[in-house]
Amino acid sequence: MRQSIRLGRPHGIPVGLHWSVLVIMLLLTQGLAVSLLPAMTGGYAPAGYWLASAGFAALLLVALLLHEYAHARAAQHYGLRVRSITLWMFGGVAELDGEPPHPRAELLIALAGPAASLATAGVLLLAVGPADSLRAGLLEAGLGWLAVMNIVLAVFNMLPGAPLDGGRALGAVIWWARGDRAAARRAAAVAGVVLGLVMALGGLFLSVATRSIAGLWLILLGWFLAAVAHDEEARLDRARRGEDVRAGADRGRRP
């Protein structure tokens, strides 16, 4: 994914933002400033809510970067090159060159991101106590929201379907159990298609039941996951057919 804004190259990894991440920033800031923070703590001027909301939305992007950076550093530990880390509308992407050398490596690379998100949530929850003692209600509310969002990020990413981390972890376990990397990845991709369709249908049901657009984001996210997983499944099928054709040609050349 092409980066619109480049942030640096920690450990040789190009880190940046896609322009679509600005859409999420605006939506998060608006939701926090207009609804969530005023409901959690009152007595502040509208400008204070907007400024604080922009800061907390930016901190959530930092947390997303930490999630993807953990994947990248785990991949580097196993000798893989990381082409880039990019944040965009639906989260973040760490693009890797090469394949993990064994199932354990694939599993640990997949789990590194959710582990980083849970660790970030733990630090934020520890920081809520001092904010409360200082009677900094707005800071306390924002830190609590950030902690919850990091927990949600970790749990959501562990759902068992590619391209989510849980799908990669599922593929690693199947690879270890069956000894077939390609079959494991195909199973994870199929699970991702099913998961995405279930999410999209759930969002549609929510919108119909509430007669609102409450489920629109779930529909879009489910559609995206199903589309990416389907593309991965198709790519794996093409690779398998290519290997079958080459194997058949090799057999035909034997005397």
Side-chain angles (χ1 to χ4, degrees):
M1 181 176 296
R2 187 172 182 179
Q3 297 177 350
S4 305
I5 303 172
R6 295 187 178 179
L7 303 178
R9 296 178 61 91
H11 290 95
I13 305 168
V15 176
L17 309 176
H18 186 262
W19 66 265
S20 61
V21 80
L22 298 177
V23 177
I24 298 303
M25 280 286 292
L26 290 172
L27 290 175
L28 285 173
T29 301
Q30 192 269 345
L32 285 168
V34 174
S35 302
L36 188 60
L37 290 183
M40 295 176 69
T41 178
Y44 295 89
Y49 286 120
W50 279 95
L51 286 172
S53 298
F56 291 133
L59 287 175
L60 183 60
L61 291 187
V62 173
L64 286 171
L65 279 176
L66 290 175
H67 179 106
E68 297 302 328
Y69 188 67
H71 285 308
R73 291 294 288 154
Q76 287 182 328
H77 174 76
Y78 287 104
L80 302 179
R81 189 175 78 87
V82 183
R83 290 201 298 267
S84 65
I85 294 175
T86 307
L87 295 188
W88 72 302
M89 181 182 293
F90 288 116
V93 178
E95 297 185 66
L96 309 181
D97 263 344
E99 300 285 355
H102 45 72
R104 183 172 179 270
E106 179 139 41
L107 179 63
L108 292 179
I109 292 170
L111 295 180
S117 294
L118 290 177
T120 302
V123 171
L124 290 166
L125 288 173
L126 289 175
V128 169
D132 179 49
S133 65
L134 294 172
R135 298 187 182 278
L138 196 56
L139 179 60
E140 180 185 359
L143 291 175
W145 173 79
L146 281 168
V148 170
M149 291 302 293
N150 274 275
I151 293 171
V152 170
L153 177 64
V155 172
F156 173 76
N157 269 281
M158 284 308 298
L159 293 176
L164 297 175
D165 299 333
R168 304 302 180 197
L170 174 65
V173 171
I174 297 175
W175 179 13
W176 173 80
R178 298 181 55 182
D180 188 334
R181 184 205 301 259
R185 292 202 166 169
R186 189 177 188 283
V190 171
V193 172
V194 174
L195 176 63
L197 292 176
V198 168
M199 288 176 60
L201 289 173
L204 179 61
F205 175 80
L206 180 62
S207 293
V208 171
T210 60
R211 297 182 181 180
S212 69
I213 61 171
L216 179 60
W217 188 248
L218 194 59
I219 294 172
L220 291 174
L221 189 55
W223 170 83
F224 168 74
L225 290 177
V228 172
H230 175 72
D231 286 347
E232 184 164 335
E233 181 186 2
R235 179 179 60 80
L236 291 168
D237 284 343
R238 287 194 299 270
R240 180 180 55 80
R241 287 196 295 269
E243 290 176 358
D244 289 345
V245 168
R246 286 192 295 272
D250 289 342
R251 286 193 297 270
R253 285 195 294 268
R254 289 175 185 170

